[in-house]
């Protein structure tokens, strides 16, 4: 018997899961689970709980603390999150793996994009079909195959499905970090590209808002008594934009300016919203220092105050060390499935960044093959539903059989 042949029966078993998987994906796609739609997230959570019951795992439904956001008028408003799901089996096993993905989408409750439709016999268009409800089903199928195999006792697993990834995982980040520290390696289920290419190194990302306060006045009678928050915001935007090209490869993108009102009133408030992407930790620290200088400069304007809100929610994820070793190992396993596993760097980020910051090597695009995510053209290639489940099942069974490379074991750090 070849090394691969001992896993073959449970990989072949996955073929019979296709019809059920496709039906579930269509059903789940029709559930609006936009990050802010708490009722929709509850419905999606219940559907997941029903599907994952076959794994006979210890299950927890975890309330996340409220977050906060800067409203258009500059006030601080609470943000409510959905509930995090945690499934676990064999926490005392010699090898531990953490599988993660989100169950929220970017599509709001009033989005016109609400239902899936077949484009052709191998392409399904719909909200969340690739990002990332197809990924949740990949986890379910892979673990179902593992649990039927004789290799299950060699590996313990935790699954975390969070409801707030599309807005930065602010509520779920501490829980992700906690479980990352207990695992040997991580598997995340953002979609791969249509051709199966994975994301390798990822940039870090931070979302920020600067609240600017001035002084209102009548634009005709007392114009000179006013202090325009909008003018200060314009100065702020220009200073931020001028940081592009100054901080290594970091990019500063101004996404929105809120503020102002009637044109006969000097505006007293404004909010500047922007995103920063950084390639490494040095760029992150330099960017933080540059932002502090911008805030200080705006606060030097007469009658103006500026206050920063936000943070770097995602640290950079380099392709190095144990993470690179994990990719190389998975590429070798892919050959057994006639898959050419390739990867490339990306400016995008996900919870894989968070796990890497906590010290966990991980691959974060083990989900279905698809594309055009975050748009009404989002699609999944249906022949990847079982293909990607087989890849993950093989990874899990190999690790459970004792074949996890030493470089990936916590004791080897």
């Amino acid at each position: 018997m070849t090394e691969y042949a001992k896993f073959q029966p449970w990989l072949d078993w996955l073929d019979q899961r296709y019809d059920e998987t496709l039906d579930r994906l269509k059903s789940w796609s029709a559930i609006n689970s936009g990050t802010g739609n708490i009722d929709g997230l509850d419905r999606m959570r219940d559907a997941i709980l029903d599907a994952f019951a076959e794994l006979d795992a210890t299950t927890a439904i975890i309330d996340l603390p409220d977050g906060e956001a800067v409203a258009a008028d500059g006030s601080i408003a609470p943000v409510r999150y959905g509930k995090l799901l945690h499934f676990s089996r064999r926490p005392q096993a010699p090898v531990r793996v953490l599988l993660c993905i989100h169950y929220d989408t970017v599509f709001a409750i009033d989005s016109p994009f609400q239902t899936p439709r077949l484009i052709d016999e191998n392409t399904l268009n719909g909200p969340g079909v690739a990002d990332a409800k197809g990924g949740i089903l990949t986890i379910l199928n892979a673990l179902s195959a593992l649990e039927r195999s004789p290799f299950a006792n060699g590996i313990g697993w935790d699954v975390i499905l969070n409801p707030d990834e599309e807005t930065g995982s602010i509520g779920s980040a501490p829980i992700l970090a906690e479980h990352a520290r207990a695992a040997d390696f991580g598997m995340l289920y953002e979609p791969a590209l249509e051709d199966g290419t994975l994301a390798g190194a990822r940039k870090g990302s931070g979302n920020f808002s600067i609240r600017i306060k001035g002084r209102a006045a009548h634009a005709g009678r007392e114009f000179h008594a006013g202090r325009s928050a909008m003018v200060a915001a314009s100065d702020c935007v220009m200073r931020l934009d001028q940081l592009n090209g100054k901080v290594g490869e970091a990019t500063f993108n101004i996404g929105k300016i809120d503020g102002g009102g009637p044109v006969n009133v000097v505006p007293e408030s404004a909010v500047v919203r922007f995103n920063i992407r950084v390639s490494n930790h040095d760029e992150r620290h330099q960017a933080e220092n540059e932002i502090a200088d911008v805030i200080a400069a705006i606060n030097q304007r007469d009658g103006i105050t500026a206050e920063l809100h936000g943070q770097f929610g995602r640290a950079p994820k380099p392709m190095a060390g144990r993470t690179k070793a994990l990719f190389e190992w998975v590429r070798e396993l892919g050959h057994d499935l006639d898959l050419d596993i390739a990867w490339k760097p990306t400016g995008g980020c996900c919870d894989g960044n968070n796990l890497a910051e906590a010290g966990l090597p991980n691959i974060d695009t083990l989900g279905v093959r698809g594309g055009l995510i975050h748009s009404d053209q989002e699609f999944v290639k249906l022949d990847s539903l079982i293909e990607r489940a087989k890849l993950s099942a093989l990874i899990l069974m190999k690790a459970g059989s004792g074949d996890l490379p030493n470089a990936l074991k916590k004791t080897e750090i």
Side-chain angles (χ1 to χ4, degrees):
M1 177 183 292
T2 66
E3 176 68 16
Y4 173 71
K6 68 182 182 181
F7 306 111
Q8 191 72 55
W10 296 277
L11 298 174
D12 289 345
W13 173 83
L14 283 166
D15 291 325
Q16 66 185 282
R17 303 272 288 193
Y18 176 80
D19 289 341
E20 179 183 20
T21 300
L22 178 55
D23 288 344
R24 272 191 172 139
L25 184 56
K26 291 177 179 178
S27 173
W28 287 6
S29 176
I31 299 173
N32 181 286
S33 56
T35 312
N37 181 8
I38 302 301
D39 289 341
L41 287 167
D42 287 346
R43 292 193 297 275
M44 189 66 226
R45 180 196 70 217
D46 290 344
I48 292 169
L49 289 170
D50 180 66
F52 273 61
E54 70 175 271
L55 298 176
D56 195 27
T58 300
T59 301
I61 303 171
I62 301 171
D63 291 317
L64 299 180
D66 288 347
E68 64 176 30
V70 178
D73 63 359
S75 63
I76 303 298
V79 175
R80 184 182 170 202
Y81 299 121
K83 298 179 187 296
L84 180 143
L85 296 177
H86 176 218
F87 305 92
S88 180
R89 286 199 70 169
R90 293 180 297 277
Q92 303 306 318
V95 174
R96 296 281 300 280
V97 60
L98 177 61
L99 303 94
C100 302
I101 196 55
H102 57 95
Y103 69 96
D104 62 326
T105 72
V106 299
F107 304 106
I109 191 170
D110 58 353
S111 168
F113 188 44
Q114 297 284 354
T115 56
R117 65 186 181 95
L118 281 170
I119 302 297
D120 57 49
E121 64 180 10
N122 192 42
T123 309
L124 180 68
N125 162 243
V129 291
D131 186 27
K133 295 176 182 182
I136 300 173
L137 288 165
T138 303
I139 293 175
L140 174 62
N141 285 336
L143 289 176
S144 294
L146 170 71
E147 292 303 317
R148 285 166 169 79
S149 79
F151 312 107
N153 287 334
I155 185 169
W157 50 263
D158 292 272
V159 175
I160 292 179
L161 306 179
N162 56 337
D164 61 336
E165 191 274 343
E166 293 292 9
T167 54
S169 301
I170 301 302
S172 58
I175 298 173
L176 290 167
E178 174 189 352
H179 289 283
R181 288 188 286 269
D184 291 284
F185 66 102
M187 302 169 67
L188 288 91
Y189 288 82
E190 298 289 346
L193 297 181
E194 183 178 359
D195 66 357
T197 300
L198 307 177
R202 287 186 179 271
K203 287 189 174 183
S205 175
N207 294 323
F208 300 88
S209 299
I210 298 177
R211 299 197 301 163
I212 300 174
K213 290 292 184 181
R215 185 186 308 142
H218 190 286
R221 179 177 293 184
E222 297 179 314
F223 173 77
H224 294 289
R227 297 294 182 268
S228 174
M230 289 295 285
V231 171
S234 300
D235 182 16
C236 180
V237 165
M238 293 305 299
R239 290 175 183 272
L240 289 171
D241 185 64
Q242 288 165 5
L243 296 177
N244 285 300
K246 181 178 179 181
V247 184
E249 298 179 3
T251 57
F252 297 75
N253 181 63
I254 290 79
K256 189 176 184 181
I257 303 174
D258 292 312
V263 294
N264 61 346
V265 177
V266 177
E268 66 175 345
S269 70
V271 180
V272 175
R273 306 179 191 274
F274 61 102
N275 172 267
I276 305 175
R277 303 281 166 140
V278 293
S279 298
N280 54 58
H281 290 284
D282 287 343
E283 287 183 3
R284 170 179 172 171
H285 296 317
Q286 187 179 350
E288 289 172 334
N289 291 334
E290 294 288 353
I291 296 169
D293 289 344
V294 170
I295 297 293
I298 301 305
N299 277 317
Q300 289 177 3
R301 297 177 67 95
D302 179 47
I304 296 292
T305 60
E307 182 179 77
L308 181 69
H309 283 257
Q311 61 189 344
F312 275 97
R314 316 279 196 198
K317 178 187 172 184
M319 176 57 76
R322 295 167 70 219
T323 291
K324 186 174 182 180
L326 176 60
F327 272 80
E328 295 289 357
W329 180 57
V330 169
R331 175 157 61 185
E332 292 176 10
L333 297 185
H335 293 158
D336 289 332
L337 298 171
D338 294 324
L339 297 177
D340 183 14
I341 305 295
W343 55 85
K344 65 180 182 180
T346 175
C349 54
C350 70
D351 285 332
N353 296 67
N354 300 60
L355 301 190
E357 185 176 29
L360 185 67
N362 67 86
I363 294 181
D364 58 37
T365 40
L366 286 169
V368 293
R369 291 185 281 108
L372 300 179
I373 62 174
H374 292 198
S375 80
D376 63 4
Q377 301 301 306
E378 178 178 350
F379 70 90
V380 58
K381 304 308 290 187
L382 296 178
D383 59 354
S384 72
L385 294 179
I386 302 304
E387 169 197 291
R388 309 310 275 189
K390 287 183 177 182
L391 176 61
S392 285
L394 182 58
I395 294 168
L396 294 168
M397 288 191 289
K398 284 280 285 187
S401 72
D403 288 339
L404 184 70
N406 287 334
L408 297 177
K409 297 176 181 177
K410 294 193 298 295
T411 55
E412 298 298 317
I413 297 176

